[in-house]
């Protein structure tokens, strides 16, 4: 019968049962596997996190397991680990080349761009297809310097997870994209844009309707939200400029 584990055994927690020289092996394993993986990543061409495609994300996940196990598990031979890493990188390179040569393969591997905003209003089908919340879409637009949905003609969720935004030449009335009031309690930021008389917009998706149409608690025709606010129009076309 194996000895039971002693809780909070500091020697077991920090040192383990391996001889002290094993820590030098761990250091050697780490440097070797890291250098080898770095060389392969440099060969396939590194990309920033914002540019990662679906295959790149899978590459990161797969390499994380293969690299981590080989660095400190003594029963994992280094040549086996290097073979696994090489196979993962080569397969990723093959998929990248296939996606570059075939539009159909690219749609299967990376997926199409998804429309998030159409004509100043958040697209509900695109939100659902991207598995995003309204707050996440608004945050993505703010990061692109958008202060009001009325500035946006079209916005897309790209394969790497970032948003591409096409602005209107002349901003229209729309929903302010300032963060929720509870996040702005310590800030004195004015709401961008001048109120537009006679126009209301949905507080969730930015859908516009005349102020005189129905009651203030009428459901939004786009997202079924029940709350409305006065639409605002930016006086400047400069992205993200606050009045």
């Amino acid at each position: 019968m194996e000895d039971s584990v002693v809780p909070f055994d500091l020697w077991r927690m920090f040192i383990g049962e391996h001889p002290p020289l094993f820590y030098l092996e761990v250091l050697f394993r780490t440097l070797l596997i890291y250098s080898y993986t770095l060389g392969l990543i440099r060969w396939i061409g590194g990309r920033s996190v914002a540019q990662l495609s679906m295959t790149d994300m899978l590459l990161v996940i797969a390499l994380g397991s293969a690299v981590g196990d080989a660095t400190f598990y003594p029963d994992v031979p280094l040549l086996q680990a290097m073979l696994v890493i090489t196979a993962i990188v080569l397969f990723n390179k093959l998929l990248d080349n296939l996606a570059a040569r075939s539009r159909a393969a690219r749609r299967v591997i990376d997926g199409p761009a998804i429309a998030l905003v159409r004509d100043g209003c958040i697209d509900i089908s695109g939100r659902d297809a991207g598995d995003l919340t309204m707050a996440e879409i608004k945050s993505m637009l703010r990061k692109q310097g958008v202060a009001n949905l009325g500035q946006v003609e079209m916005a897309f969720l790209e394969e790497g997870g970032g948003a591409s935004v096409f602005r209107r030449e002349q901003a229209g009335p729309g929903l302010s994209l300032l963060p929720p009031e509870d996040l702005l309690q310590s800030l004195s930021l004015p709401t961008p844009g001048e109120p537009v008389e006679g126009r209301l917009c949905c507080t969730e998706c930015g859908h516009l309707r005349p102020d005189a149409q129905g009651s203030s608690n009428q459901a939004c025709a786009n997202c079924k939200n029940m709350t409305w606010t006065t639409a605002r129009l930016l006086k400047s076309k400069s992205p993200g400029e606050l009045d």
Side-chain angles (χ1 to χ4, degrees):
M1 183 176 179
E2 296 183 358
D3 296 336
S4 59
V5 176
V6 178
F8 296 103
D9 181 353
L10 296 182
W11 183 270
R12 173 184 56 79
M13 292 170 60
F14 288 95
I15 305 299
E17 300 177 354
H18 301 294
L21 193 59
F22 176 70
Y23 291 94
L24 184 60
E25 180 184 329
V26 169
L27 178 61
F28 173 76
R29 283 171 169 266
T30 301
L31 294 176
L32 177 62
I33 295 298
Y34 181 87
S35 301
Y36 182 71
T37 306
L38 177 62
L40 290 178
I41 295 295
R42 289 286 300 274
W43 172 65
I44 66 174
R47 287 188 251 186
S48 67
V49 173
Q51 296 173 308
L52 290 182
S53 66
M54 189 66 68
T55 54
D56 293 325
M57 290 298 296
L58 290 175
L59 174 67
V60 171
I61 295 172
L63 284 182
S65 177
V67 170
D69 290 349
T71 55
F72 58 86
Y73 285 128
D75 55 343
V76 177
L78 289 176
L79 288 181
Q80 289 184 11
M82 294 168 72
L83 175 61
V84 171
I85 293 170
T86 304
I88 291 172
V89 170
L90 289 178
F91 186 61
N92 179 267
K93 186 70 173 180
L94 175 64
L95 290 179
D96 278 345
N97 290 336
L98 184 61
R101 288 172 170 77
S102 169
R103 179 178 298 179
R106 184 164 58 250
R107 289 179 65 88
V108 171
I109 295 171
D110 292 329
I114 299 172
L116 296 180
V117 178
R118 298 178 187 269
D119 195 25
C121 178
I122 293 178
D123 188 284
I124 300 303
S125 61
R127 179 203 65 178
D128 294 340
D131 195 23
L132 298 169
T133 65
M134 293 292 195
E136 288 172 330
I137 294 175
K138 293 172 184 177
S139 175
M140 295 169 71
L141 294 173
R142 286 194 296 269
K143 291 177 181 177
Q144 295 295 322
V146 177
N148 187 293
L149 278 176
Q151 296 175 273
V152 182
E153 181 69 30
M154 294 288 294
F156 297 92
L157 176 66
E158 301 294 347
E159 62 184 38
S164 57
V165 178
F166 296 87
R167 291 178 171 83
R168 291 169 167 170
E169 292 186 4
Q170 183 66 44
L175 176 68
S176 170
L177 294 182
L178 278 183
E181 293 183 0
D182 58 331
L183 299 179
L184 298 175
Q185 291 179 354
S186 61
L187 302 174
S188 58
L189 290 177
T191 302
E194 292 292 338
V196 178
E197 293 185 6
R199 301 300 299 273
L200 295 177
C201 59
C202 172
T203 57
E204 285 294 307
C205 70
H207 177 71
L208 293 168
R209 71 170 176 85
D211 193 357
Q213 180 184 340
S215 60
S216 59
N217 61 352
Q218 177 183 348
C220 173
N222 186 46
C223 70
K224 309 306 179 185
N225 176 50
M226 298 295 293
T227 57
W228 301 80
T229 186
T230 302
R232 290 179 171 268
L233 178 66
L234 292 181
K235 294 185 293 185
S236 171
K237 293 191 296 184
S238 300
E241 181 175 326
L242 296 177
D243 293 339

